[in-house]
Amino acid sequence: MKKTFLSILILAVALILAAGCNSSKPPGKTTDKAAAAKSETKGAAKGDGKAAVAPGTPADASVLDEVKDIYVCKQNQMYISESEEVGAICPDGSKVLDWVEKMIDDGWTREDILELVQNLQMGRPMAQANGQPECAQDGALKVEGFIMSYCPYGVRWVTDTLDPMINNMGNALDYMPYFIMQKTPEGVLSAMHGQKEVDENLRMICIRDKWSVDKWHEYTQCFAKEIFNNREAPKDWTFCAKQVGIDPAAVEKCFKNEAAALAEKDVQLVMKYGAGASPTAVYNCNKNIVGAIPFQNIKSTLCRMIPDPKPEACTRS
């Protein structure tokens, strides 16, 4: 057993060194589960009636499922379990599972196996904890999308991620767009792409708050097609306002008189969630996914965040 322990330890160190230096410990989805299980074990020892395995008991094959929800594949940034669901390749995850099977055969405890796996160098999961409490609702997914109106990736997030998300999840999706801006010491709003972005952000905030989120979505689809991506003959913002049935004069009035105050919430939420990159999507208040990742590529990750009952979209391949 000592010989096998040494060989596995050497393999683990080799995996860490091969992946480069990283002082942070990658978060695992079942880290909390492991802690909870330890707590249950202690409770059972005190006689609270819970069935649990005593600490130090050799692990059985059930620990493999926990490992699959801890280890993140370096090739695709998915957990092993997610890779299995979508048929993605995860060679390093397969090696880890082989090692764990050997540990089980050699009598390792569940606690020791999980501790070793959690300390391996691995990929980073797409959904990163942001330090805020979860706000999940049964059968629904809350999405707060933080974008910059003139950021190509922010625009792409709307067309490639949000649009199909809405089409697939329908009423199971509770979404709200916000805009990434900062305030100077003098209290003036600023944005990465200059004043034109500040102005467009404020117009979109007006449409979102004074009309509706759905109307903002219609306007933004037009903005993406007729203004941002129209290199030959880009239209003016008033064109898209009229296209979706909004009076440009009413938007202009909001822009001049109310927009800066309405934007205060956006500024505060950007700081709260650490959403400085466009796009950053915050799911159920506590998980951030950065980047314009197509919906189909993150669908399984999002469905895992939705408490039962899952929407129909999560049962379709």
Side-chain angles (χ1 to χ4, degrees), residues 79-110:
Y79 294 96
I80 297 174
S81 55
E82 293 173 333
S83 297
E84 290 181 344
E85 286 179 12
V86 300
I89 296 174
C90 180
D92 53 313
S94 298
K95 291 180 181 179
V96 169
L97 293 178
D98 288 344
W99 298 342
V100 171
E101 288 179 352
K102 293 177 183 177
M103 294 179 200
I104 295 171
D105 291 341
D106 285 344
W108 281 50
T109 67
R110 171 181 170 276

Side-chain angles (χ1 to χ4, degrees), residues 83-160:
S83 297
E84 290 181 344
E85 286 179 12
V86 300
I89 296 174
C90 180
D92 53 313
S94 298
K95 291 180 181 179
V96 169
L97 293 178
D98 288 344
W99 298 342
V100 171
E101 288 179 352
K102 293 177 183 177
M103 294 179 200
I104 295 171
D105 291 341
D106 285 344
W108 281 50
T109 67
R110 171 181 170 276
E111 291 85 356
D112 287 343
I113 291 174
L114 294 180
E115 183 176 357
L116 176 60
V117 172
Q118 287 164 5
N119 281 281
L120 291 175
Q121 187 69 34
M122 61 183 90
R124 286 172 56 85
M126 286 185 288
Q128 294 286 309
N130 60 26
Q132 299 299 321
E134 186 180 16
C135 60
Q137 307 171 39
D138 289 351
L141 180 67
K142 181 175 181 177
V143 185
E144 296 164 278
F146 292 82
I147 61 174
M148 304 171 186
S149 57
Y150 273 90
C151 169
Y153 306 105
V155 174
R156 191 180 301 165
W157 181 80
V158 174
T159 59
D160 293 3

